[in-house]
Amino acid sequence: MDKRGLSERDICTKFITPALRSAGWDELTQIREEVSFTKGRIIVRGKLVSRGKGKRADYILYYKPNIPIALIEAKDNSHSIGDGLQQALEYADILDIPFVFSSNGDGFVFHDRTGASPTLESTLSLDAFPSPVDLWARYRNWKGLTDQAERIVLQDYYNDGSGKAPRYYQVNAVNAAVEAIASGRDRILLVMATGTGKTYTAFQIIWRLWKAGVKKRILFLADRNVLIDQTMVNDFRPFGGKMAKLSTKAKTIERADGTEVDLTLALDKKRRIDPAYEIYLGLYQAITGPEERQKLFREFSPTFFDLIIIDECHRGSAAEDAAWREILEYFSSATQIGLTATPKETKYISNIAYFGDPVYSYSLKQGIRDGFLAPYKVIKVHIDRDVEGYRPEKGQLDRNGEEVEDRIYNSKDFDRTLVLDDRTKLVAKKVTEFLKDSGDRFQKTIVFCVDEEHAARMRQALINKNADLMTENHRYVMRITGSDADGQAQLGNFIDPEAKYPVLVTTSRLLSTGVDAQTCRLIVLDREVGSMTEFKQIVGRGTRVHEDTRKFYFTLIDFRGATNHFADPEFDGEPVQVYSPDTGQSITPPEDEPPNEGEPLPLGPDGSETILINPVDPPPPSATTRKIYVDGIGATILAERVEYLDEDGKLVTETLRDFTKKAIRRRFASLDTFLKRWKSEERKQAVIEELAAEGLLLDPLVEEVGKDLDPFDIICHVAFDKKPLTRRERAENVKKRDVFTKYGHQARAVLEALLAKYADEGVLNLDDTNVLRIAPFTALGTPVQLIKAFGDKSGFERAVHELQSALYQEAA
């Protein structure tokens, strides 16, 4: 057998696996080959969606299921023995595995990431691979585990027999938390991005500690009823009759599999607690309050609970005067674990000051990179009133006939103290336009408003813009806010992938955190978001991937500049695309042209992507502050812009140049078409105004391409790749052709001054006689005298049009 001619798989089968078996590793429970541990990044190119190649380890060795301790990268025998080590170390760092090996079938290179070995790297023969007992002893020494701690750390994960296994980062989080608790730490912080399964992670932590007998009574706290209910019927379901909710309100909940269950309650109608349960779940609002009689938690003894899990702990539990903090301090002897996607760090509130540094963190950026979280596009919409502000005219009356205070109102005032109803209607119009342009008006959508009253007005505006679908079902648009019982009753349907209605929901803050809206495809921000913590939570409403409904990315439309948080170093998950349409331009981002029928799809650089959505394929079947109301003011879109993460994960801004090229070519199919239109128009500014009316403003492009270029040259250069001439070059060409000889001295002086003005300022309306009223023309004579030099006004206009034709003569 020529060993050097064997494939990598042959090397694994014939040499590496036998060596592991000889060292005492069990093939069924301890050895896993070709372990894919990431999904592969979702890549969005217009409407074409693909998935990149996931990361895969050749071997992962487990001391017990979900307790990985070694990783092996295999190479064929044409490679040297240590060639796989660098890749193996990268994977081991991600997977938090301490012992790393590389092999080509001749032996192993061993890298000890714990630093406890005499040498960091050493070479081993095939028959010298360490046994499971040997590596576990090294692991135990590295972690400093006592016999008691070891017993806790080795407690089995919950296994329902379905084959469902936690993702690698969940394993890392669970193991880190359990090891920290086993080692005596009693304040734990886990930071995991929204949509990465914090509750499932919490369940596995509780399960292992509960089964190990070290935590016998557990309290799980959250601040939303829906979070508690979802948790009880889904992730915490295995606790069965040992679990109850701290509530007096009976409720029947539908599980993910369609079955229904009545929630077990730990309180009777008189709010007396049944102490027979072991796992309690509750809202902090339900067990505490400002008055002593509301502090239900005091009915428990301070030592009743061994373990408390605080979900979404950024929402104030770490503030010294917060209600949650009072509960935590009362049960201070219990081990306490905080779960958050966004640890809160301010002068007054600090999760880390209370819980300590996170024992494990998994960021939004990492989740998107691994393909577990959905990337997203951002559409930035700039409304004139927000950008320029609004100052009422003198004597301006509001809807009630009272005079509006004379000051400048800006975006912070709108819908909080001053209501411009036209602005609300414009937002609703643009959102509806986006849904219509997308071809799917049933995308689950959350519109975040300033407050509940604003959410009510936004609901009405959206209803009026979608009257056709409202007649089909009145729940197409709904307001879901804290005080709206009817809306709250529909929250379960909104987050249910199987429920069609409601589709568009308006809210203020109720849906900004914790709600598991798996199929949410559109998030609209029509309020400022000052807190980075809250901004991350809002973005997190859309980051869940839902493959059954082909939801692989989502869109965020920002009307208030909240997405400026992307520029903050604290934000860790850049958008896949950012688009800012101009006045009159479609709110839908310009998409890359889909591949022509019969042509290969544009895959990634290595051709390894899997297509998830191909646009050429057929779709699958199916407030206390008084507000001032001012009417008739109007509002328009100033501009909207595009950034995106490319397949390499780099933030790319779609240049104005690229955007302009697409927009102009939609208006003029070819250079000839544009030239004919330009030459036929005596008033060149009319062409520019037509483009502006369609949302294409050339002024910003002048800053990018060149300030000394004529709009004509900008268009020809950017859209049709023609070499541009500067205005001065065009003016000089006209002078060289000496086109003014047929005019008298004064007329020639006027035309030369017009040409100089064009070269300096790029004036297009040269035939506007008002130009004759300013310098340098005033030094040549009065406007009447200057026009007489051409015979009359029509003669002046004819001469100017000939001048303009001469300017663009070489483009013929």
Side-chain angles (χ1 to χ4, degrees):
M1 182 190 302
D2 180 10
K3 194 174 185 180
R4 294 182 68 83
L6 295 177
S7 69
E8 182 181 297
R9 186 87 318 253
D10 278 333
I11 292 295
C12 293
T13 303
K14 293 177 170 54
F15 297 97
I16 298 177
T17 301
L20 298 178
R21 198 185 301 121
S22 296
W25 293 87
D26 186 286
E27 283 187 78
L28 291 178
T29 62
Q30 294 182 311
I31 301 173
R32 285 192 61 200
E33 297 184 55
E34 297 187 328
V35 185
S36 294
F37 58 91
T38 70
K39 295 274 285 184
R41 183 191 193 91
I42 295 171
I43 302 165
V44 183
R45 300 182 185 87
K47 291 183 179 177
L48 176 68
V49 184
S50 59
R51 193 185 278 283
K53 193 174 182 179
K55 289 183 169 64
R56 186 174 66 181
D58 291 328
Y59 287 87
I60 296 181
L61 306 182
Y62 300 80
Y63 187 66
K64 289 190 73 174
N66 294 310
I67 302 180
I69 59 173
L71 182 145
I72 306 171
E73 181 63 27
K75 296 293 182 185
D76 63 44
N77 202 247
S78 65
H79 290 79
S80 65
I81 190 171
D83 276 2
L85 204 53
Q86 288 190 163
Q87 183 177 329
L89 286 169
E90 177 193 341
Y91 289 176
D93 185 54
I94 295 170
L95 296 168
D96 198 21
I97 292 176
F99 307 120
V100 187
F101 299 84
S102 172
S103 179
N104 66 352
D106 291 339
F108 299 91
V109 173
F110 171 38
H111 183 106
D112 185 355
R113 296 179 67 233
T114 71
S117 297
T119 57
L120 190 60
E121 289 187 2
S122 56
T123 302
L124 309 175
S125 63
L126 275 177
D127 59 2
F129 194 87
S131 69
V133 173
D134 179 20
L135 286 188
W136 180 251
R138 294 176 185 231
Y139 184 93
R140 178 175 163 170
N141 289 336
W142 174 47
K143 294 289 187 178
L145 300 178
T146 63
D147 290 345
Q148 170 67 8
E150 180 186 40
R151 185 178 68 80
I152 299 169
V153 167
L154 291 180
Q155 177 62 48
D156 290 336
Y157 277 66
Y158 173 76
N159 185 347
D160 63 2
S162 68
K164 177 185 177 180
R167 294 169 174 172
Y168 84 85
Y169 61 83
Q170 293 170 335
V171 167
N172 288 354
V174 172
N175 290 345
V178 170
E179 286 175 3
I181 292 169
S183 299
R185 185 166 167 177
D186 59 6
R187 298 292 181 268
I188 308 292
L189 182 63
L190 288 174
V191 178
M192 297 172 66
T194 301
T196 56
K198 290 191 295 296
T199 311
Y200 174 72
T201 300
F203 161 72
Q204 288 288 4
I205 293 170
I206 296 170
W207 180 269
R208 292 176 66 196
L209 296 171
W210 185 57
K211 281 296 185 180
V214 293
K215 303 297 177 187
K216 297 178 181 178
R217 286 199 176 97
I218 294 102
L219 173 63
F220 182 89
L221 284 174
D223 70 341
R224 296 277 193 270
N225 245 315
V226 66
L227 301 182
I228 296 293
D229 299 343
Q230 285 179 359
T231 298
M232 290 185 73
V233 302
N234 293 316
D235 289 328
F236 280 32
R237 182 178 178 179
F239 290 124
K242 302 290 186 181
M243 169 179 64
K245 180 179 180 180
L246 289 167
S247 174
T248 59
K249 296 179 180 178
K251 187 179 288 188
T252 300
I253 302 293
E254 184 177 341
R255 293 189 175 115
D257 60 9
T259 60
E260 292 186 342
V261 61
D262 293 328
L263 297 184
T264 303
L265 304 181
L267 299 180
D268 63 18
K269 294 298 182 183
K270 295 182 178 180
R271 286 173 61 85
R272 290 177 298 201
I273 298 170
D274 185 342
Y277 297 101
E278 298 178 45
I279 314 292
Y280 293 81
L281 297 91
L283 298 178
Y284 81 88
Q285 302 98 315
I287 63 173
T288 191
E291 298 179 24
E292 195 62 32
R293 62 180 180 81
Q294 296 172 308
K295 301 185 189 301
L296 181 67
F297 66 90
R298 295 190 185 276
E299 297 298 313
F300 293 102
S301 72
T303 58
F304 186 85
F305 293 110
D306 306 308
L307 174 66
I308 300 177
I309 308 281
I310 308 96
D311 194 22
E312 306 290 357
C313 70
H314 61 277
R315 292 179 64 81
S317 65
E320 292 188 12
D321 59 348
W324 287 20
R325 184 66 172 263
E326 183 181 35
I327 299 171
L328 299 183
E329 290 179 347
Y330 181 77
F331 298 113
S332 60
S333 63
T335 297
Q336 298 172 4
I337 302 177
L339 305 176
T340 183
T342 51
K344 197 162 191 175
E345 297 304 309
T346 71
K347 180 179 178 181
Y348 307 103
I349 300 175
S350 172
N351 294 105
I352 291 173
Y354 184 81
F355 291 104
D357 290 328
V359 297
Y360 185 73
S361 296
Y362 187 72
S363 69
L364 172 63
K365 180 184 289 185
Q366 189 65 47
I368 292 174
R369 187 180 300 139
D370 288 344
F372 294 119
L373 296 180
Y376 55 100
K377 299 180 178 183
V378 172
I379 301 174
K380 292 185 175 183
V381 185
H382 306 287
I383 296 176
D384 58 348
R385 297 299 176 189
D386 296 351
V387 175
E388 299 165 359
Y390 164 67
R391 183 174 182 178
E393 295 178 1
K394 185 175 182 180
Q396 174 75 55
L397 302 180
D398 67 12
R399 193 179 290 173
N400 297 322
E402 297 180 17
E403 187 168 342
V404 180
E405 181 187 353
D406 182 16
R407 68 179 180 84
I408 296 176
Y409 297 86
N410 56 36
S411 61
K412 290 184 179 180
D413 298 302
F414 298 144
D415 299 299
R416 192 174 302 280
T417 58
L418 180 78
V419 174
L420 301 180
D421 212 35
D422 288 338
R423 188 193 174 285
T424 308
K425 292 174 182 176
L426 178 61
V427 171
K429 175 186 174 184
K430 299 303 281 185
V431 171
T432 304
E433 177 188 315
F434 174 85
L435 291 169
K436 288 179 177 178
D437 289 350
S438 75
D440 179 10
R441 294 174 69 188
F442 284 87
Q443 297 182 51
K444 292 289 180 84
T445 300
I446 305 174
V447 183
F448 287 100
C449 303
V450 168
D451 55 23
E452 295 194 7
E453 185 273 343
H454 182 205
R457 285 188 292 102
M458 186 61 70
R459 170 191 167 275
Q460 185 179 70
L462 285 167
I463 283 174
N464 290 333
K465 293 297 179 183
N466 295 274
D468 55 336
L469 295 182
M470 284 297 297
T471 58
E472 293 180 15
N473 192 303
H474 71 278
R475 292 182 296 135
Y476 178 75
V477 184
M478 293 198 75
R479 181 182 76 156
I480 301 181
T481 56
S483 65
D484 192 325
D486 292 334
Q488 285 204 54
Q490 291 298 319
L491 179 55
N493 286 327
F494 178 71
I495 65 180
D496 182 358
E498 303 296 322
K500 188 173 183 179
Y501 299 100
V503 180
L504 313 184
V505 301
T506 65
T507 188
S508 54
R509 280 177 168 76
L510 186 63
L511 298 178
S512 66
T513 181
V515 177
D516 189 10
Q518 301 174 53
T519 56
C520 178
R521 296 172 186 266
L522 178 61
I523 294 173
V524 179
L525 285 173
D526 196 27
R527 69 172 172 86
E528 293 191 318
V529 183
S531 158
M532 173 63 75
T533 297
E534 186 178 17
F535 180 67
K536 286 185 177 182
Q537 288 291 323
I538 288 174
V539 170
R541 294 312 100 216
T543 53
R544 288 166 177 82
V545 174
H546 196 263
E547 303 209 11
D548 289 349
T549 57
R550 305 210 312 168
K551 187 250 176 149
F552 297 106
Y553 69 94
F554 69 101
T555 303
L556 193 157
I557 303 180
D558 177 21
F559 289 92
R560 300 276 183 149
T563 50
N564 292 334
H565 282 299
F566 292 143
D568 193 309
E570 287 186 30
F571 192 76
D572 64 5
E574 302 92 339
V576 74
Q577 184 181 26
V578 180
Y579 167 57
S580 286
D582 291 327
T583 307
Q585 185 181 340
S586 170
I587 195 171
T588 304
E591 308 289 4
D592 295 334
E593 289 296 317
N596 294 328
E597 207 168 329
E599 290 186 359
L601 292 167
L603 299 181
D606 57 0
S608 64
E609 296 172 26
T610 302
I611 301 302
L612 301 175
I613 297 178
N614 184 352
V616 302
D617 291 339
S622 232
T624 57
T625 304
R626 176 187 172 273
K627 295 186 180 183
I628 304 165
Y629 296 81
V630 183
D631 300 326
I633 299 304
T636 60
I637 302 300
L638 280 183
E640 295 170 54
R641 213 170 40 218
V642 177
E643 294 176 0
Y644 58 94
L645 283 186
D646 65 11
E647 55 266 35
D648 297 319
K650 296 177 181 176
L651 186 63
V652 178
T653 301
E654 183 180 60
T655 64
L656 203 53
R657 181 190 297 254
D658 292 339
F659 172 75
T660 303
K661 184 173 185 176
K662 291 178 185 176
I664 292 174
R665 287 195 165 186
R666 282 198 296 268
R667 179 71 178 80
F668 302 104
S670 67
L671 177 61
D672 285 342
T673 307
F674 170 70
L675 291 177
K676 286 176 184 176
R677 174 74 176 85
W678 185 267
K679 292 178 184 300
S680 67
E681 184 61 59
E682 289 186 344
R683 185 172 167 270
K684 309 303 182 188
Q685 185 66 27
V687 180
I688 309 304
E689 290 169 356
E690 284 178 15
L691 291 172
E694 293 179 21
L696 181 62
L697 300 177
L698 294 183
D699 287 347
L701 195 64
V702 170
E703 298 291 328
E704 180 177 320
V705 178
K707 294 183 179 180
D708 57 350
L709 295 184
D710 188 299
F712 172 89
D713 283 283
I714 289 175
I715 292 171
C716 291
H717 175 58
V718 170
F720 305 106
D721 302 316
K722 293 281 290 182
K723 182 180 178 181
L725 293 177
T726 65
R727 293 193 302 270
R728 196 156 301 281
E729 286 172 334
R730 289 199 173 279
E732 288 301 322
N733 287 344
V734 171
K735 287 181 181 179
K736 289 175 185 174
R737 289 195 290 272
D738 202 15
V739 297
F740 304 145
T741 52
K742 64 181 179 181
Y743 297 104
H745 173 74
Q746 192 174 32
R748 282 201 306 272
V750 170
L751 292 173
E752 285 171 356
L754 284 171
L755 196 59
K757 195 162 190 64
Y758 163 81
D760 291 336
E761 300 174 24
V763 178
L764 287 178
N765 291 342
L766 298 177
D767 58 352
D768 185 351
T769 55
N770 286 321
V771 76
L772 302 178
R773 302 179 184 275
I774 60 175
F777 302 97
T778 50
L780 301 176
T782 67
V784 173
Q785 291 171 334
L786 298 181
I787 288 173
K788 273 191 174 182
F790 295 89
D792 55 18
K793 184 178 179 182
S794 62
F796 168 75
E797 291 174 345
R798 188 164 49 251
V800 172
H801 293 154
E802 287 174 359
L803 169 59
Q804 288 182 322
S805 296
L807 281 169
Y808 307 109
Q809 185 174 325
E810 79 287 347

